Amino acid sequence: MTLLFRALYRVGFTPWDRGGPIPAEGDQVLDLLAEQENHEPPPHGRALDVGCGKGRYSVALAKRGWLVTGVDAVPRALDAARARAAEARVEVDFIQGDIRHLADLVEPSWDLVLDAGCFHGMSDASRRALVDAENRICEPGTTLVLMAFEPGRRPGPRGVTRDDLITAYQGWRLVDDAPLQSGPGWLHPRVYRFRRT
């Protein structure tokens, strides 16, 4: 998959990561985090953006006062993410690497993990590897926010059901899920929030 994504970034075909503005107040995903931020002043904790791409959410989280690390395998995407963070005048630690090996890339103990569209496109083996890596770096109480499309919607990623996620994330409790108001409606995007038990 990494080679495919590198090729797609090289030719500029990234419909999942169009660049767009940095998410701000009113963004459904960021609104989910308001509860975790508990209306306390920053810093809010350590946030890991898994498959961060061009860094839209990494930068948005940093602007809200999170200490953010973004991981992606595609150098061109990370170059764009670094430029976006510099333009926004925020610090984000961007790391190039395979998200299936997070435990080899980042230190443990995260307050928040964000997956804005990786899990739903992965093979079963890659999904297991990602969840295993997340389990190794996340302690009880960590929040996972995951955006995914439902399966069977073409063209688009493979997709995932609520039950698939509950099965994959043993040791995590589903806190809530809802239709994602932004994004292509025909792919039926949803946002899920889990808490590590």
Side-chain angles (χ1 to χ4, degrees):
M1 276 308 259
T2 300
L3 291 175
L4 172 63
F5 280 103
R6 284 183 187 202
L8 292 172
Y9 271 101
R10 188 172 301 119
V11 299
F13 182 72
T14 58
W16 63 90
D17 198 1
R18 293 180 301 279
I22 296 167
E25 293 300 322
D27 178 89
Q28 189 177 356
V29 173
L30 295 181
D31 288 349
L32 275 177
L33 301 178
E35 178 185 313
Q36 181 152 347
E37 292 167 0
N38 202 24
H39 306 289
E40 296 290 328
H44 300 299
R46 295 178 68 216
L48 179 63
D49 188 356
V50 174
C52 65
K54 296 177 184 174
R56 290 182 68 235
Y57 277 102
S58 296
V59 170
L61 290 167
K63 287 179 77 165
R64 290 175 70 100
W66 289 85
L67 305 172
V68 183
T69 298
V71 177
D72 204 284
V74 181
R76 190 171 288 220
L78 290 171
D79 290 344
R82 288 184 184 103
R84 174 175 270 149
E87 182 179 318
R89 295 190 172 130
V90 295
E91 277 192 44
V92 177
D93 182 20
F94 290 108
I95 297 172
Q96 182 180 340
D98 186 331
I99 61 172
R100 295 171 299 178
H101 305 289
L102 285 173
D104 299 327
L105 301 170
V106 299
E107 296 293 321
S109 189
W110 297 90
D111 300 291
L112 171 68
V113 175
L114 174 67
D115 177 340
C118 289
F119 188 92
H120 70 183
M122 299 174 91
S123 69
D124 288 341
S126 291
R127 288 176 175 183
R128 285 189 298 273
L130 175 61
V131 172
D132 179 61
E134 289 170 335
N135 286 340
R136 291 171 55 201
I137 64 169
C138 296
E139 298 174 351
T142 300
T143 295
L144 168 69
V145 175
L146 191 147
M147 291 177 272
F149 298 146
E150 292 182 353
R153 311 292 176 179
R154 295 291 178 255
R158 173 180 172 195
V160 65
T161 67
R162 179 180 194 269
D163 289 341
D164 293 337
L165 289 169
I166 290 169
T167 299
Y169 281 95
Q170 297 292 312
W172 296 75
R173 179 176 57 86
L174 180 63
V175 176
D176 51 35
D177 74 286
L180 189 60
Q181 302 306 314
S182 61
W186 56 275
L187 288 172
H188 297 266
R190 297 191 69 81
V191 61
Y192 302 87
R193 182 168 44 165
F194 286 85
R195 185 128 322 117
R196 184 91 159 104
T197 54

